[in-house]
Amino acid sequence: ASRGLGDVYKRQAHDGTGRQQNCRNLFHKLLGFIGWIIFLFQVIAMAINLFQPFLFFFDENGVYHALFGRYITLVLQIIMYTMTAIYALVVSCRSKNGKRVRHFAIGLSSIAMAFFVWLQSVYPLLPLYALGCLLAACVMHSFVLENEKEEYRDTLEQRLQDSILKGNYYDLLTGMPGMTYFFELAEKQRKEMIQSGGRPAFLFFDLSGMKFYNQKFGFAEGDRLLREFAQLLCQFFKKDHCSRFGSDHFAVFTEENRLEETLHKIFEIWDEKGDGEQPAIRAGIYLDAGKNADISTACDRAKTARDTIRKSYFSDYCYFDETMLERAEHAQYFTSHLDRAIEEGWIEVYYQPIIRAISGRVCDEEALARWNDPKRGFLPPADFIPILEEAGILYKLDLHVLDQVIEKMHKTEEKGLHVVPQSINISRSDFDACDIVQEICDRMDRAGLPHNLLSVEITESIIGTNFDFIKEQTERFRALGFPVWMDDFGSGYSSLDVLSDMNVDLIKLDMRFMQKFDNGEKSRIILTELMKMANALGIDTICEGVERKEQMEFLRDIGCAKLQGYYFTKPVPLSEIFDRYETGRQIGFENPMQTGYYDAVSRINLYDVSILTHDDANTFHRFFSTIPMGIIELRGNKVRFFRSNQAYRDFVKRTFHFEVGNRMSPFEELPELMGGIFIETLKRLEKEGGRIFFDETRPDGLTIHSFIRRIATDEVTGTTALVIAVVSVMSKDSDIPLQIVETERSS
């Protein structure tokens, strides 16, 4: 009880000078100390009294007798209650209102308790101490606790009002000024800065990928990150110059001087502080420079500058310029008019045919959206697709295109024409906005169309944004029977790596390959090898941007199955497709019954002879898909096959029954059939240099036509390197080579 009273006094202590506070603290400690002494003394004394009377005892007649220990306890209690009464009454005289009443009640209760304790010592057999405690409890409840609860309730209400008021001025998460208050502060500080010769600047910040950070680590961790970023801004700018507008959006008012240097320091500290998981910082900058735009407009323009780098995955900043306003207005128009454009038919689907290289027929069509605006005229996809994607509403357009494609397939069938598969483009934002896989599946099922009539095109660039997620969605499409195409293949930096980890049915080569077609041999070599790789992986190919007959013929020869480009036709609306059929100007749809045949035939790469031996290598044991070549080193009377391709190793093993190795061996260890002219030619070239064509005729009548050229001589070891190539092998009964030589790619 004494300890509790001490705590009450401590809570209700009068606010005064430091010395008075120290006195009160000392008195509180003294009361607590006395209370504990009484409590411990009572416990110990009671324990001793069980074995040896110390506090009290009962005689043979059951009469209670108090002893010396009992009187010590009562004296200590009288001292404690007296001190409490004096302190409470003194505080009461110096207090007002409820606090005065409470302390006066505590003082009177303490006096009463001291009096009842004294009476208890005089009349030990009467329950006077218990009556005093009961009376004191009633007084404390009526005049202290109830009064204190009422005052505490008033305090809570006041704090709530203060909190609401503070919330109107400050952000509760970061402690920064709120948006409205920030506008007031910035307006005043801008005037002061201009008067002092400074140049005001407004910055708008956000964190790139904050949404995914919250999804991965939780909102509590996201709030912690926002507080850290707020502290970082306040470290470089004054706290009342910074504001959190909400979410991960922050605004700063500062001076232009050394601004870029400050931003680089912020980026550096932020990147070093994190573990690579934290989002990057993006900042837009608006320089006021005497334009005196209102604060809200200045912040909005800084945000507009920030929007231009929204797709950046690295910390970066951008300055505002007037052209951004035009682009922002442009973007606002498309986002606000999309629904109307769909409803009123402003969105029209154009179809660009995909041509089977081997037959020249249309085997697929790609659906492309065009915006025919009543005010702005005909608009290409590049004008509105990126805007709708960034706004997260592109899925509406893509699903509308799908609906038009489904309607087109029904109309084509009604006219008695072959229905070929259609392809539609899917954006990364489609997966975030809805379950695009299920939406497409449901629409195709309602239309009663087979899933393999619709191919889904996913650009290579969106795969890298969240590989595991896109891979999962791709597998969902393929499991439902929708072919998946990788669009713009080769435009990124991880194409081959993506192909090794993700299953796709077709790769669509970016039109840049055709744009570089005439730049030299490199582009043709790359295209040829890409076709070999795709065919080996069992993946179909389309090449975009075909504009000339020469390009078409080359792609057809190297095994590119399908072609697309203006050489055949530009994208056209459905009405024009039907009109071409009616006037006999059509390219012609491929008969679906012939698709399997053409798929097999068109994949043959005429620059790769290995297709001949694909099914039966024994039948074509004398054929090879590339020229057998090797590098031979000579040093004295020793030789070794330093490097060689697989075709050369196979040729030597098959022809001379010799395993080509990397060991320096004497000429005597070479097979007898490899001796003679072969060794003489090597020695001659080692001595004289140059190049030689020579023939070797085997006992079985085969004549081997080879070519050898000296490459270089090692001045340190005296080793000479020569390159050898087997050109062809002739039979004694025929002048026709039995082994096929690879045609040069440039022919």
Side-chain angles (χ1 to χ4, degrees):
S2 302
R3 182 66 172 177
L5 285 173
D7 290 340
V8 171
Y9 301 151
K10 186 174 181 180
R11 288 196 306 269
Q12 302 298 334
H14 177 67
D15 295 332
T17 64
R19 184 176 179 182
Q20 290 174 331
Q21 186 66 39
N22 290 335
C23 291
R24 285 194 294 271
N25 292 338
L26 181 63
F27 190 81
H28 297 153
K29 292 179 180 179
L30 181 61
L31 284 178
F33 181 71
I34 294 175
W36 277 109
I37 289 177
I38 296 173
F39 174 74
L40 293 174
F41 177 80
Q42 193 75 20
V43 171
I44 295 171
M46 289 292 292
I48 296 173
N49 200 75
L50 293 174
F51 305 98
Q52 181 66 37
F54 175 70
L55 296 174
F56 59 87
F57 71 93
F58 295 91
D59 60 18
E60 297 176 352
N61 298 320
V63 178
Y64 170 83
H65 296 276
L67 298 178
F68 180 72
R70 175 62 174 163
Y71 291 105
I72 293 177
T73 301
L74 295 176
V75 169
L76 289 174
Q77 290 184 10
I78 291 173
I79 293 173
M80 183 189 70
Y81 285 124
T82 302
M83 291 177 62
T84 301
I86 293 172
Y87 176 75
L89 291 174
V90 170
V91 172
S92 175
C93 294
R94 297 179 178 179
S95 302
K96 297 179 180 180
N97 302 327
K99 188 175 181 180
R100 180 173 188 174
V101 173
R102 290 196 299 274
H103 281 79
F104 186 75
I106 293 171
L108 291 181
S109 299
S110 298
I111 293 173
M113 284 300 301
F115 177 72
F116 276 102
V117 170
W118 176 78
L119 286 179
Q120 185 69 64
S121 64
V122 176
Y123 303 100
L125 298 181
L126 298 177
L128 299 174
Y129 186 81
L131 290 174
C133 288
L134 181 61
L135 177 63
C138 293
V139 173
M140 294 287 285
H141 181 271
S142 300
F143 295 97
V144 177
L145 295 181
E146 286 298 326
N147 184 273
E148 189 176 46
K149 286 195 297 183
E150 183 66 27
E151 188 173 281
Y152 184 66
R153 185 162 45 247
D154 293 341
T155 302
L156 284 179
E157 291 179 356
Q158 184 61 43
R159 288 181 178 178
L160 180 60
Q161 292 177 0
D162 293 343
S163 177
I164 294 173
L165 184 63
K166 183 179 180 181
N168 291 333
Y169 285 89
Y170 292 92
D171 174 61
L172 299 180
L173 178 66
T174 63
M176 288 179 166
M179 181 171 64
T180 304
Y181 189 39
F182 172 77
F183 289 165
E184 296 178 8
L185 293 173
E187 182 63 39
K188 178 182 177 182
Q189 293 161 354
R190 178 172 65 172
K191 293 178 180 178
E192 295 175 354
M193 184 178 294
I194 294 175
Q195 290 174 357
S196 62
R199 300 184 64 185
F202 292 86
L203 288 76
F204 190 92
F205 292 91
D206 80 338
L207 301 178
S208 172
M210 194 65 197
K211 175 182 177 181
F212 296 108
Y213 187 90
N214 285 331
Q215 290 176 351
K216 184 174 183 180
F217 298 104
F219 287 100
E221 183 65 20
D223 288 345
R224 183 199 62 79
L225 189 73
L226 293 176
R227 286 193 293 269
E228 282 191 4
F229 182 65
Q231 292 170 4
L232 180 61
L233 291 180
C234 294
Q235 179 180 336
F236 287 88
F237 308 103
K238 295 180 181 179
K239 186 174 182 179
D240 59 352
H241 285 199
C242 306
S243 174
R244 177 172 177 254
F245 284 7
S247 184
D248 61 334
H249 298 162
F250 294 82
V252 169
F253 168 73
T254 186
E255 191 172 357
E256 182 186 356
N257 185 35
R258 305 182 69 177
L259 177 58
E260 293 185 7
E261 180 182 341
T262 301
L263 287 174
H264 285 299
K265 288 181 180 179
I266 292 174
F267 295 162
E268 182 179 352
I269 294 174
W270 183 253
D271 293 337
E272 290 178 354
K273 180 182 294 188
D275 54 2
E277 295 283 358
Q278 81 278 11
I281 302 172
R282 298 172 299 195
I285 305 171
Y286 173 71
L287 300 179
D288 196 20
K291 299 174 183 177
N292 292 326
D294 63 79
I295 305 300
S296 175
T297 300
C299 292
D300 188 62
R301 292 182 176 181
K303 178 181 178 296
T304 300
R306 186 286 316 255
D307 290 342
T308 62
I309 54 173
R310 287 188 63 178
K311 294 185 179 181
S312 174
Y313 295 100
F314 303 97
S315 296
D316 197 5
Y317 60 86
C318 180
Y319 285 91
F320 172 84
D321 63 61
E322 296 298 330
T323 61
M324 293 179 181
L325 290 178
E326 182 180 347
R327 291 197 295 268
E329 187 275 332
H330 196 59
Q332 177 63 28
Y333 180 83
F334 286 120
T335 55
S336 61
H337 286 75
L338 175 61
D339 292 335
R340 182 182 176 186
I342 292 175
E343 293 174 2
E344 299 186 9
W346 300 355
I347 305 294
E348 190 173 4
V349 179
Y350 278 49
Y351 301 89
Q352 185 169 23
I354 297 171
I355 307 301
R356 177 80 65 181
I358 197 68
S359 67
R361 294 282 185 175
V362 178
C363 57
D364 297 88
E365 289 180 305
E366 180 181 6
L368 302 168
R370 300 291 187 265
W371 188 309
N372 192 2
D373 196 271
K375 293 182 179 179
R376 305 192 176 198
F378 191 82
L379 302 170
D383 284 3
F384 57 89
I385 294 294
I387 294 172
L388 299 179
E389 182 177 15
E390 189 172 321
I393 57 175
L394 183 57
Y395 75 98
K396 296 181 179 181
L397 176 67
D398 290 339
L399 291 177
H400 173 69
V401 169
L402 174 60
D403 292 337
Q404 298 302 304
V405 166
I406 291 174
E407 184 178 347
K408 181 253 187 189
M409 285 192 280
H410 284 311
K411 290 181 177 179
T412 303
E413 187 177 21
E414 291 171 1
K415 287 186 173 291
L417 303 177
H418 294 306
V419 178
V420 297
Q422 310 288 304
S423 72
I424 61 172
N425 294 276
I426 297 298
S427 164
R428 175 66 178 88
S429 66
D430 291 348
F431 293 103
D432 297 329
C434 64
D435 187 352
I436 193 66
V437 179
Q438 193 61 49
E439 289 286 345
I440 292 175
C441 183
D442 291 344
R443 280 169 164 78
M444 290 292 287
D445 289 343
R446 285 197 296 268
L449 294 172
H451 292 180
N452 63 356
L453 281 180
L454 184 72
S455 301
V456 177
E457 296 193 35
I458 301 175
T459 60
E460 179 194 358
S461 58
I462 73 167
I463 295 174
T465 58
N466 190 339
F467 180 80
D468 292 336
F469 174 75
I470 298 298
K471 180 180 179 181
E472 178 186 347
Q473 303 308 308
T474 298
E475 292 302 325
R476 287 181 63 196
F477 272 125
R478 299 182 78 242
L480 291 169
F482 295 101
V484 176
W485 296 0
M486 185 185 295
D487 194 12
D488 297 334
F489 182 82
S491 60
Y493 298 96
S494 58
S495 305
L496 299 181
D497 182 56
V498 168
L499 284 182
S500 66
D501 296 327
M502 178 178 287
N503 296 319
V504 294
D505 300 283
L506 180 145
I507 56 175
K508 203 170 185 183
L509 299 177
D510 189 73
M511 64 176 60
R512 297 179 189 178
F513 288 108
M514 288 296 97
Q515 292 170 352
K516 298 178 180 180
F517 185 78
D518 296 325
N519 291 355
E521 191 70 11
K522 288 184 179 179
S523 62
R524 303 190 185 199
I525 293 174
I526 292 172
L527 281 169
T528 302
E529 296 305 319
L530 282 175
M531 294 305 163
K532 284 184 180 180
M533 177 194 68
N535 290 333
L537 294 173
I539 300 175
D540 264 339
T541 52
I542 295 177
C543 192
E544 297 180 294
V546 179
E547 297 184 356
R548 302 199 315 271
K549 182 179 180 180
E550 179 189 3
Q551 295 173 337
M552 182 270 293
E553 291 176 345
F554 174 80
L555 292 170
R556 182 184 60 195
D557 290 347
I558 65 174
C560 185
K562 302 175 182 181
L563 311 173
Q564 185 178 25
Y566 287 179
Y567 176 74
F568 306 102
T569 183
K570 295 181 179 180
V572 295
L574 179 59
S575 59
E576 185 171 337
I577 294 176
F578 291 155
D579 180 66
R580 289 187 177 192
Y581 265 93
E582 292 174 0
T583 58
R585 297 180 292 115
Q586 78 280 5
I587 299 176
F589 291 124
E590 179 179 279
N591 188 334
M593 299 294 292
Q594 297 178 286
T595 298
Y597 169 78
Y598 285 130
D599 278 340
V601 174
S602 59
R603 291 178 183 173
I604 301 299
N605 188 339
L606 298 183
Y607 289 86
D608 186 1
V609 190
S610 63
I611 190 67
L612 298 172
T613 63
H614 180 70
D615 297 321
D616 189 355
N618 293 326
T619 303
F620 300 95
H621 68 280
R622 292 179 181 171
F623 288 78
F624 42 84
S625 60
T626 189
I627 297 177
M629 295 181 65
I631 296 177
I632 299 173
E633 284 189 339
L634 291 179
R635 189 168 63 241
N637 292 323
K638 293 185 177 182
V639 61
R640 72 165 172 169
F641 295 88
F642 188 48
R643 287 179 55 201
S644 59
N645 60 16
Q646 187 62 47
Y648 187 80
R649 293 192 292 270
D650 293 341
F651 167 75
V652 172
K653 182 177 180 180
R654 190 166 56 235
T655 307
F656 302 106
H657 309 291
F658 176 69
E659 292 282 353
V660 173
N662 197 28
R663 184 175 64 88
M664 188 69 75
S665 306
F667 288 136
E668 294 78 13
E669 294 184 5
L670 294 178
E672 184 177 352
L673 294 175
M674 289 187 69
I677 298 176
F678 176 70
I679 294 176
E680 290 178 6
T681 304
L682 295 182
K683 290 182 177 180
R684 177 182 170 186
L685 285 172
E686 179 186 25
K687 182 179 180 180
E688 300 177 2
R691 62 191 73 187
I692 295 176
F693 284 94
F694 71 96
D695 298 339
E696 292 181 275
T697 302
R698 289 166 40 92
D700 58 5
L702 291 179
T703 299
I704 303 171
H705 302 278
S706 301
F707 169 82
I708 301 182
R709 180 173 68 89
R710 189 175 76 176
I711 304 173
T713 299
D714 188 339
E715 299 295 339
V716 178
T717 64
T719 302
T720 299
L722 305 100
V723 60
I724 182 171
V726 179
V727 180
S728 66
V729 179
M730 302 289 292
S731 170
K732 64 179 180 179
D733 300 326
S734 174
D735 291 334
I736 300 176
L738 294 177
Q739 291 179 295
I740 297 175
V741 180
E742 182 183 49
T743 305
E744 292 187 9
R745 292 185 177 89
S746 61
S747 63

